[in-house]
Amino acid sequence: MSGLLKYEFRKLRKQKSFYICTIIMIALLFLSAFTSKALFDANEEFSEQFKGSALDSAVGAVSGCSYLLIVGIFTALFVCDDYENQTIKNIYSKGYSRTQAYFSKFISVVFAATVMFAVVISSGFLFGNIYFGIGDASGYNWFGIIAAQYAVCIANISFYFAICSFLRKNGSSIASVIVAPMLVSMLLGLADSLLKSEKIELARFWISSFMKDLSAAPADNGRVVVCLTASLIYIPVFAVIGAVLHKNTEI
């Protein structure tokens, strides 16, 4: 499997979409910080309500640059490339199993998403510091929030990866990455409305709801733990489901 990993990482280094998606997210963060600073200086009412800082910018960076959407599109493009170009047949002809091919690509996508996440958080902190200063770290566990955000991102990416490995077409995979999380949220919301339970809301345990609760500081510590724990459960579940679907699909 080491040979497959080398192949995937070599392909990742040459993947234009990886660099383009990363640059787009950095540009969005810069524009957001620049616009907020301009409004802060020009609008007295906005300046009284808005409390910007490097730490707040770092915590809000993932949502501010549409990280999950952009990385989802990157995942679709990267996963489907071997199938649309039929290079996957060359991999199987060399004796590698479908499981090895699946998890080697999964590891490379998680690595790419991790690099993007680190760049996004660092850029958010940098731009926030340039325009608003570092800010006060007391009052909320910003490190725990960012750690939970990372787990949520990888859980979402595991979900995207399973879908893309099953569909294997750029168009349908990109569309599914955009629509599927919202569709599940809608179905869970419908279930909640039918159950009318005051104790448990199913929609709040779906990955699409986590980032919204973690993107504004201070976040509730109990909710941070729930989001982190649930995401750590979702990651292997989606990875295994994707592997099973991939194994049973015709090339």
Side-chain angles (χ1 to χ4, degrees), residues 120-140:
V120 163
I121 296 298
S122 300
S123 298
F125 183 89
L126 175 63
F127 296 143
N129 185 41
I130 291 173
Y131 288 112
F132 305 107
I134 293 179
D136 185 7
S138 63
Y140 66 91

Side-chain angles (χ1 to χ4, degrees), residues 8-241:
E8 294 293 350
F9 280 108
R10 184 169 61 251
K11 191 175 74 170
L12 178 62
R13 288 197 301 270
K14 299 178 181 179
Q15 194 81 11
K16 292 181 180 179
S17 59
F18 172 71
Y19 301 101
I20 292 171
C21 289
T22 304
I23 290 171
I24 289 173
M25 289 188 287
I26 294 172
L28 289 173
L29 288 174
F30 173 76
L31 288 173
S32 177
F34 180 81
T35 303
S36 296
K37 178 60 175 176
L39 288 172
F40 184 86
D41 293 337
N43 192 314
E44 183 177 347
E45 183 178 349
F46 179 81
S47 63
E48 291 176 354
Q49 297 177 353
F50 179 76
K51 296 180 180 179
S53 71
L55 294 175
D56 289 331
S57 296
V59 169
V62 171
S63 293
C65 71
S66 301
Y67 173 92
L68 289 176
L69 174 61
I70 294 174
V71 173
I73 293 172
F74 162 77
T75 300
L77 294 174
F78 187 79
V79 171
C80 297
D81 182 62
D82 280 340
Y83 297 103
E84 295 215 329
N85 293 325
Q86 295 297 309
T87 53
I88 191 68
K89 293 182 179 180
N90 296 331
I91 293 174
Y92 293 148
S93 68
K94 293 181 180 180
Y96 294 109
S97 67
R98 292 193 177 196
T99 301
Q100 288 175 320
Y102 177 89
F103 280 105
S104 62
K105 193 174 291 291
F106 177 76
I107 291 170
S108 63
V109 167
V110 169
F111 176 81
T114 300
V115 172
M116 290 180 179
F117 182 87
V119 170
V120 163
I121 296 298
S122 300
S123 298
F125 183 89
L126 175 63
F127 296 143
N129 185 41
I130 291 173
Y131 288 112
F132 305 107
I134 293 179
D136 185 7
S138 63
Y140 66 91
N141 182 13
W142 64 272
F143 181 80
I145 294 172
I146 290 176
Q149 286 184 352
Y150 174 71
V152 171
C153 289
I154 300 303
N156 276 273
I157 290 159
S158 300
F159 179 59
Y160 300 154
F161 189 89
I163 293 174
C164 297
S165 295
F166 175 72
L167 296 176
R168 303 176 184 181
K169 297 291 184 182
N170 279 329
S172 57
S173 293
I174 291 174
S176 297
V177 161
I178 297 171
V179 174
M182 294 187 293
L183 181 60
V184 175
S185 294
M186 291 173 60
L187 292 174
L188 291 176
L190 178 61
D192 285 331
S193 66
L194 294 175
L195 293 173
K196 298 180 180 179
S197 174
E198 297 181 359
K199 295 182 179 180
I200 298 178
E201 292 183 39
L202 297 176
R204 294 203 74 201
F205 290 92
W206 175 239
I207 49 177
S208 295
S209 70
F210 295 163
M211 193 57 69
K212 181 175 68 175
D213 295 335
L214 297 174
S215 295
D220 179 72
N221 287 332
R223 184 58 177 166
V224 171
V225 173
V226 169
C227 295
L228 175 61
T229 304
S231 296
L232 293 176
I233 294 172
Y234 276 127
I235 293 169
V237 169
F238 288 142
V240 171
I241 291 174

